[in-house]
Amino acid sequence: MEKSIIIIANSLTNDFISPRPKFQQVQLNVGLREINRLMGEGDRYGFGPLPTYLKAAMAGKQAGKPISLILLRDLHDPEDPIQQQELLRYGDHNLQGTEGAEFVPPIVGLLPKAEVIDTQTLSMPIYAFNRALKEILGKGLLDLTIEDRDRIVFVIVGVYTNILVLSTATMLRNEYGFQHVLVSPHLVGSNNHEVHLSALQIDFPNTLIRVVTGLKEIYASTGVPGLADHLDAYAACRITPREVATGLNRHQRSIIENLFMVHTRVRLQPLGGGYSGSLLFLTQGEKEGVKTVAEIVKVDKHVQMQKELDGYNLVKDLIGQHVPTFGLPVSHGPFTGIKMDLACMSGAPETFQALYESCTESTDSSPFLTTFNDALALLKDNLYQNTLKEKRYYPYRDFALHTEQQQIWLEENIGYILPETDLNANQFVLTEQISIPNFLAHFPTITRHTDRIHGYVSLCHGDLNFANLISDGKGNTWIIDWSHTDEKPVATDFAKLENDLKFILNKGITDADLEVLRRFDEFLLSSMELPPLERLSDEFGFIGDDPGFKQVYSAIKAVRDTYLAVVGRGGDMLYRIALLKYAVHTLSFDQRRGRGECSLPQLKYALLSVCLLVMHLKEDELHRNIRQDKPKDYPARAIVPQAQAPWHLDVPEYKPEYWVDPTVLENDGSKTPGGWADPEDWGQIRGLEERGSFTGEISFDSQGRPLNPAGRRGIQGRGLLGRWGPNYTVDPVLTRQNPVTGELEFLLVQREDIKLWGLPGGVVREGESDTDTAGRALEEKSGLEHDFQSCAVVGQMYVDDYRNTDHAWMETTVLHLHLQPSALRNVQLREGVGIRDAAWVVITPELADCLYANHAKIIKQAAISMLERDEDFGERREVESVILNI
Ligand code: RP5
C-alpha cells in the first residue's frame, strides 16, 4: 500500500529564521550560521536543503502524490496571562500581527498547499492537529487503525529540535504509535546546536524515531522526487576505507553516522580481532577537509555495551585519564555504539601491537619496552595493587577450563591444527617428549580439580591484549575495551599479555622454529622469575642473540616482574593455570578458518605450550595436595598462602594450632617400654640435630624444633607422627606383567583411613632394616610375602603425607621388585591392617591423579629406574606409558 507522507515543519517564521538584521536581535532567532545551513546562504537564501525539500514535496503533492505539509507556528498574544510565562522566558517572539510572526519568504509560497496550526504554549495543540489529520487522511487520530499507523510516514523538520520538534516526534512515535517518524539533522536547526544534535544522536534512536543522517535517504523514504543531484552536498558522513565500510551492517553504519553526524568523513581503523562480533575502531574524523582529533569507537550488542559501561564505571576513577572518556551511547537495531575521547592526546595514537611490530622491524625494541613498562606500572599501582584482596578460589573453574565443552573444543581445534594426526594412536607429533593422546588424557583430570587454592584477586581488565593498549608516542597511554572487567585472579591480565606476546605478536614463525620455541617455552615455564638477558646461561644464549627473541623475552620478563611485585613469590601455579586458559583459547584463533590472526605455525606453538603447561601442572608438587587434607582429629590447618610457605620468609601473622595425638603421648618410648614415639619434650632427645633428611640439611626453629623442609604446613607439633623431624618409611613398588593382557601392573592397596589407593608401605621400626620393613609392610597390607634382598633401591624422598606437620613429616625409601608369573602362582591378595582392598592395577592418568600422597611420583621414579635398568620387565613401551601417564 502506498505510504502517505505528512511533513510537519516547525516555526519557520521571520523571528526564528530570517537572516535580516532586525530579526537577528530576537532571542529565539536561530542565528546566521544555522539559517545559512538550513535555508541557504546570501543569494542562495531559499535554496538550502530545507526549502528545497519542502518545495519538492509540494511539487510532488501537486503531481498527485500523497504528500501533505502541516506548518506549526507558535503565535503569541502578549495580553494572555497563560502565555506570559513563555514570553518572559524566551523574550517576545511571534507576536500576533507582527512581521516577526509571518512565515519567511520561501515558505510563504507554500502556504496555499499547507495546513497551518498555530500553537500558543510549548505544547502541541492536539484538537487542531486532529482536525488537520482528518483533513489530510479523512480520519482523525482516534479512528486510525494499526494499519493506518503503519501507512503514514511523518517527517519532522524545522527549528528547535530540543523543544517542539523533539516533543512532536516523540508524541507521534511513542504516544500515538506511528511506526514511521523520521527526523534528519540536515532539516532541523537550533541556536543551541549541541543540544539539538545530542537529542538526534542519543534520544531519538533510543525512542525508535529514525534519524536519517543523509538527505538522499529521507527523500528516498518519503518518495519526494527530483532532488537526487541537489542532495549530494547533504550526504551522511562518509565512512572509509571502503572495505571496512562495506563490512558494516545497516545498524552499525547508522550508529557510526550518528556518532559522526557533524563530520564529513571518518576513517575507521579496526583494533583487535572483533571476531566475537564487537567492533572496535581507532577513528580519524574530518569536517570539510579539517582533521578532528582521533577517537575510539566501539559498537556491540546492547548487552555487551552494558558490560562495557559497567567495566568503565569500575575503573574510570582508578585509572583517570588513561581510560578514554566515554560519550553517550547511541543505539540502532540491536546495537549500541559509544565514542570515546582520548584525553591529553598529543601525538598520533597507535596500538601497542603496531608499536611492537614497528620495533621488531627496526630491531630496536626500546620504544616499545619503555612504553610497555610504563603501562604495566600504571596498571600495577592503580588497578592491581589498589584493589588487591586475598581469596581462596577454584582455579580451573574460575578460568572455565573444567567443562566438558572445553575438552570438545580442544580436540576440535587440535583436529584443525594437526589434521594428519590420529589422536587415538600414541603418535608423537610435536616433539619427542610430547604426545597428544597422553596430554589429552591428562587435560580433564587436571582441570576437573575442584580444590580451592589460596591466592590473590583484584580488579582485572579481563581481555588485556596489545590492541587494547593505545599509545600516542608522547608518553600518553590509554587502556580500552573494558567489557570483561571484574574481580579476577591477578594472574589473569598478566598471563594474557604473556600469551599474546608468544603466540599473537610473534609473527612470521615457521615449523622449523618449533623446536627452539619449545626450548624457549620450557625455559619460561621452569621458573616465574626470569633472569636479566645478560645472565642467561649459554644454553639459552639464542635468546640474547636474536633480536626477535630478545624483544619477546624482555617484554615477558617485564610482565612477570610486575606480577611478582603485586603478588609476591608463590603465585606460580595460578599463573600457569591462567597461561593454560589463554593458550587453550588461542588454539581457536585460526586465520585459515577466519577466526583469528594466528598462522598454522603460531597455532602449533600455542599447542606445544598447552601440552607443556599441562605436563607442568601435572607435575606440580602442590597440585595433588592443594586440598590441605588432614586426619579428622587434627585441628584445622592454618591457611598458608603458597607464597608464605618457605620458612625463611617472615610471616608474623602465622599462628597455627599445636597438636599431638594422645596415642603418640601414650607411646612415648622414654616412659613406656617398647613405645615407638619420641618424648614430647624434644629438648630431652639426644642427637635431634643430627637426624638426617633425604632432602638435605634440616633447619630448626628458635625453640630447637626441626622444621618441615616443604615449608609451613599449618599445624605445629607432631600430630600422629611419633618422631620429631623425619619419620622414615619404606615403600615397596611391586610390578608384574598381567598374564592375560600383558600390561604392566602395580600392586596397590586402598587405605582405610583416607580411602585412597597407594603403595603398601610402612613405617620403619626401631632396629629394622629397609628390606625387613618392606617385607613386613607388604605382608601386613596385602597378604603377599616377599623377600626384598634382591630388590632395587630406586629413590629416597620426602612424602607429602596428610599427617605431616610443621615439625614432623614422612620420608621414604623406595624399593622396586618385578615379580615373574611363577612367583605369583597360587598367591591371593587380601585386605590387611588398616587396608580395605589390594589389587594389581594399570596406572592410568586418572588413577595417577588421585593416588595417596605423592605415591604417583614415587611410581614414576620406579618406572624411570626400570627403563634405566633395562631388565626383563616385559615390553619397554609399557613402562614408557606409565611415565607418560603420570
Ligand atoms: C606414607 O605413609 C608412606 O609413603 C607410606 O606408604 C605410608 C606409611 O604409613 P602407614 O601406612 O603405616 O600409616 O607416608
Side-chain angles (χ1 to χ4, degrees), residues 640-686:
V640 187
Q642 200 43 41
Q644 295 173 358
W647 292 109
H648 69 267
L649 300 173
D650 192 24
V651 186
E653 67 274 20
Y654 179 64
K655 291 193 179 71
E657 288 203 39
Y658 188 96
W659 177 249
V660 55
D661 195 89
T663 54
V664 172
L665 298 175
E666 283 158 20
N667 283 286
D668 177 350
S670 67
K671 294 184 185 150
T672 315
W676 42 263
D678 283 340
E680 175 62 353
D681 177 4
W682 60 93
Q684 290 177 20
I685 305 171
R686 255 186 294 135

Side-chain angles (χ1 to χ4, degrees), residues 482-500:
W482 295 96
S483 50
H484 296 90
T485 301
D486 213 338
E487 188 176 275
K488 296 177 193 245
V490 181
T492 308
D493 285 354
F494 294 98
K496 171 72 174 148
L497 290 171
E498 175 168 335
N499 180 80
D500 287 10

Side-chain angles (χ1 to χ4, degrees), residues 44 73 132-133 150 229 511 797:
R44 303 276 311 149
R73 165 176 63 174
L133 276 188
D150 190 44
D229 297 342
D511 281 358
M797 61 190 80

